[in-house]
């Protein structure tokens, strides 16, 4: 027994969809990472300028305040400057050095009154009395700003040093970098969620496309089979006209027109799925070509909302079983006086589906029946015998089962059952 293998087109469409999804996602993540890295670098560069500006602004502030405190007693001067420096959380150290290099003020009070032994700044003539530099002091690597002090006559009388320790600067940089990393991860997480939503949408579109493609394929098959059948009917009409049986020709035309309309109408009314309906119409025409009466059970009804089964799976399973039945009744060794009939029925209920395909062929002997679902087993020669195996694999992949009953000389009935607790596979 040979049945056409499971179609690969939907699998190829899914492969293309996955490749598009992962390519799109990889591109978005790469762009996000590059933008975040660029943003982090720009932020670090901006922070360096901000640090320098903060140091210089603080130096200006201390310089202006010192003008009001230099006439105060030393203790009161220290208290006043402490109040100012405590409000400057971004600055680690502040030092005021007189012209003779004595520390007038320092955030570390133990150094007040002691000699300054560090670098003595040289201010350029005509400059605004400020400049910054990287250096290393007693507290370690640091960024310093120097501000020149003037007396009431406008002469140099000392300088102010404002300091940000390098470890403090790096701490700010690390926090900024961490923030960019967290923002990047959050953006990627959102992109993954959006990509998943988009992927589901694309998947639905691809499935719809695949179903339309499958439906078109079987509509073409149906048209081809109907064309052959219609050609045969034209020959009958032509013969009746040639022998002068005009009334019989008219009655024959009217009769086949009614039968055709009834066939299409009964299938479309019973089957909601267009691809599935197109398949059955095509198989009815093919059965007529094979001189087999196709009987659509009056209880046939397929309601899509009862249970979800991919259209390509419905078409493959049903098409294979019908072709198998037609082949059995058209086998060369099949000689029987019984009518050649194929009885088809599909019924659905919430969460359930049953398909039956019954033929009046020669039946399946017991010794063969035990092996018909084996891969490669066939009674029709080499290179065949994969159809029922693939059909069984497909049915079981959907969570269903396939079985058959057969009587030699009377025929065979295949049954496919699918069931889902949620009403959808």
């Amino acid at each position: 027994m040979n049945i056409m293998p499971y179609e690969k087109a939907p699998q190829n469409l899914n492969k293309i969809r996955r490749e598009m999804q992962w390519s799109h996602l990889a591109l978005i993540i790469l762009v996000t990472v590059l933008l975040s890295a660029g943003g982090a670098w720009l932020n670090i560069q901006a922070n360096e300028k901000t640090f320098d500006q903060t140091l210089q602004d603080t130096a200006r502030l201390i310089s202006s305040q010192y003008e009001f405190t230099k006439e105060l007693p030393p203790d009161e001067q220290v208290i006043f400057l402490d109040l100012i420096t405590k409000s400057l959380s971004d600055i680690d150290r502040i030092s005021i050095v007189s012209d003779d290099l004595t520390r007038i003020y320092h955030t570390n009070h133990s150094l007040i009154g002691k000699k300054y032994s560090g670098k003595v700044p040289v201010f350029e003539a005509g400059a605004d009395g400020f400049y910054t530099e990287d250096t290393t002091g007693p507290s370690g690597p640091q960024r310093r700003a120097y501000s020149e002090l003037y007396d009431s006559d406008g002469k140099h009388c000392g300088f102010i040093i404002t300091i940000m320790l390098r470890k403090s600067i790096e701490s700010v940089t690390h926090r900024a970098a961490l923030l960019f990393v967290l923002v990047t991860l959050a953006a990627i997480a959102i992109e993954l969620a959006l990509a998943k939503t988009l992927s589901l949408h694309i998947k639905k579109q691809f499935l719809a496309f695949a179903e339309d493609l499958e439906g078109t394929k079987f509509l073409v098959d149906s048209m081809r089979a109907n064309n052959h059948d219609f050609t045969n009917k034209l020959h009958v009409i032509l013969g009746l006209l040639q022998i002068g049986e005009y009334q019989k020709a008219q009655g024959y035309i009217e009769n086949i027109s009614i039968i055709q309309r009834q066939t299409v109408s009964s299938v479309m009314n019973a089957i909601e799925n267009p691809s599935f309906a197109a398949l059955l119409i095509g198989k009815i025409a093919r059965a007529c070509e094979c001189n087999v009466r196709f009987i659509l059970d009056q209880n046939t009804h397929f309601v899509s909302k009862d249970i979800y089964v991919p259209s390509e799976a419905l078409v493959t399973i049903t098409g294979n079983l019908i072709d198998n039945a037609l082949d059995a009744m058209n086998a060369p060794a099949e000689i029987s006086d019984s009518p050649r009939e194929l009885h088809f029925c599909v019924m659905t209920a919430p969460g359930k589906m049953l398909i039956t395909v019954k033929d009046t062929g020669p039946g399946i002997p017991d010794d063969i029946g035990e092996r018909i679902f084996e891969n490669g087993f066939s009674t029709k020669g080499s290179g065949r015998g994969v159809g029922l195996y693939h059909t069984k694999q497909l049915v079981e992949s959907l969570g269903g089962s396939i079985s058959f009953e057969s009587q030699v000389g009377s025929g065979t009935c295949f049954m496919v059952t699918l069931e889902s607790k949620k009403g959808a596979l």
Side-chain angles (χ1 to χ4, degrees):
M1 297 180 182
N2 184 47
I3 304 175
M4 62 180 179
Y6 182 68
E7 299 290 345
K8 297 296 184 181
Q11 296 179 9
N12 293 333
L13 290 175
N14 282 330
K15 181 180 179 182
I16 294 172
R17 177 185 62 82
R18 286 193 297 269
E19 290 177 352
M20 290 175 60
Q21 173 191 350
W22 286 112
S23 298
H24 180 260
L25 187 59
L27 180 61
I28 290 177
I29 291 176
L30 178 61
V31 170
T32 301
V33 171
L34 290 176
L35 288 176
S36 295
W41 183 83
L42 291 174
N43 181 265
I44 291 172
Q45 298 302 311
N47 280 343
E48 291 289 341
K49 295 181 180 179
T50 301
F51 296 146
D52 286 354
Q53 190 63 50
T54 299
L55 288 169
Q56 293 186 11
D57 290 344
T58 302
R60 285 190 179 94
L61 174 64
I62 298 299
S63 176
S64 63
Q65 295 301 316
Y66 178 70
E67 290 293 325
F68 299 102
T69 63
K70 61 183 179 180
E71 302 298 332
L72 294 175
D75 292 343
E76 293 182 15
Q77 188 183 59
V78 170
I79 293 172
F80 183 81
L81 291 173
D82 278 346
L83 291 174
I84 297 174
T85 56
K86 286 179 180 178
S87 66
L88 304 172
S89 58
D90 294 335
I91 305 301
D92 294 309
R93 303 284 189 274
I94 296 175
S95 179
I96 302 176
V97 182
S98 65
D99 196 30
D100 62 357
L101 300 184
T102 300
R103 289 189 175 94
I104 302 172
Y105 175 79
H106 198 285
T107 47
N108 182 358
H109 291 179
S110 64
L111 297 177
I112 295 176
K114 295 184 178 180
K115 285 290 185 180
Y116 171 73
S117 58
K119 175 184 176 180
V120 177
V122 178
F123 299 98
E124 295 181 8
D128 59 0
F130 296 93
Y131 76 89
T132 56
E133 68 174 5
D134 288 316
T135 186
T136 301
S139 302
Q142 54 197 242
R143 183 72 173 172
R144 286 184 177 183
Y146 299 96
S147 175
E148 192 171 13
L149 286 176
Y150 305 92
D151 59 18
S152 57
D153 296 327
K155 295 181 180 180
H156 174 82
C157 65
F159 55 90
I160 297 173
I161 307 174
T162 51
I163 299 171
M164 293 182 70
L165 298 177
R166 181 53 63 180
K167 61 182 180 181
S168 298
I169 295 175
E170 291 175 352
S171 176
V172 174
T173 302
H174 291 162
R175 286 198 300 270
L178 178 60
L179 178 61
F180 272 92
V181 170
L182 292 176
V183 170
T184 301
L185 292 177
I188 291 174
I190 293 173
E191 288 159 4
L192 288 173
L194 291 176
K196 183 177 180 180
T197 302
L198 180 61
S199 173
L200 292 175
H201 178 70
I202 293 175
K203 181 178 180 181
K204 290 180 181 179
Q205 295 297 322
F206 267 87
L207 286 176
F209 175 73
E211 290 179 3
D212 291 342
L213 185 65
E214 197 71 21
T216 302
K217 174 181 179 295
F218 283 99
L219 280 173
V220 171
D221 290 344
S222 173
M223 292 173 64
R224 184 181 295 114
N226 277 313
N227 182 58
H228 293 163
D229 186 49
F230 188 65
T231 301
N232 293 332
K233 289 180 172 61
L234 284 177
H235 291 160
V236 174
I237 295 169
L238 178 61
L240 290 172
L241 292 175
Q242 287 176 339
I243 64 177
E245 296 287 350
Y246 304 114
Q247 291 296 328
K248 288 185 178 180
Q250 180 181 347
Y252 183 77
I253 293 171
E254 291 174 349
N255 183 55
I256 61 176
S257 177
I258 292 171
I259 292 174
Q260 183 70 14
R261 286 200 303 269
Q262 289 177 342
T263 298
V264 173
S265 177
S266 62
V267 172
M268 297 303 295
N269 288 334
I271 307 296
E272 286 187 358
N273 186 297
S275 299
F276 197 10
L279 168 76
L280 291 178
I281 293 171
K283 295 305 180 186
I284 291 172
R286 182 167 184 264
C288 184
E289 279 190 309
C290 297
N291 196 27
V292 173
R293 182 187 176 199
F294 192 108
I295 301 174
L296 185 69
D297 193 283
Q298 62 181 0
N299 295 317
T300 291
H301 66 278
F302 180 87
V303 181
S304 298
K305 68 179 182 180
D306 282 344
I307 186 169
Y308 173 72
V309 184
S311 292
E312 62 269 21
L314 276 173
V315 164
T316 299
I317 294 168
T318 304
N320 286 349
L321 293 179
I322 290 176
D323 284 347
N324 191 67
L326 293 175
D327 287 346
M329 287 186 285
N330 282 279
E334 201 272 323
I335 301 176
S336 175
D337 295 331
S338 61
R340 292 153 57 87
E341 295 179 346
L342 189 154
H343 189 281
F344 176 81
C345 181
V346 58
M347 294 184 290
T348 62
K352 299 178 181 179
M353 184 181 75
L354 171 67
I355 297 174
T356 60
V357 179
K358 182 179 179 181
D359 65 63
T360 57
I364 303 173
D366 292 340
D367 58 335
I368 294 177
E370 296 177 355
R371 302 185 59 194
I372 62 171
F373 292 117
E374 292 181 8
N375 187 17
F377 176 76
S378 175
T379 60
K380 298 179 181 180
S382 61
R384 309 182 72 174
V386 296
L388 280 177
Y389 169 77
H390 285 299
T391 301
K392 185 172 186 292
Q393 294 293 312
L394 177 56
V395 171
E396 291 179 347
S397 72
L398 297 171
S401 62
I402 182 171
S403 60
F404 71 94
E405 294 178 358
S406 185
Q407 184 175 354
V408 176
S410 296
T412 303
C413 179
F414 278 88
M415 294 158 286
V416 173
T417 58
L418 297 175
E419 183 172 353
S420 172
K421 294 181 180 179
K422 296 182 180 180
L425 293 175

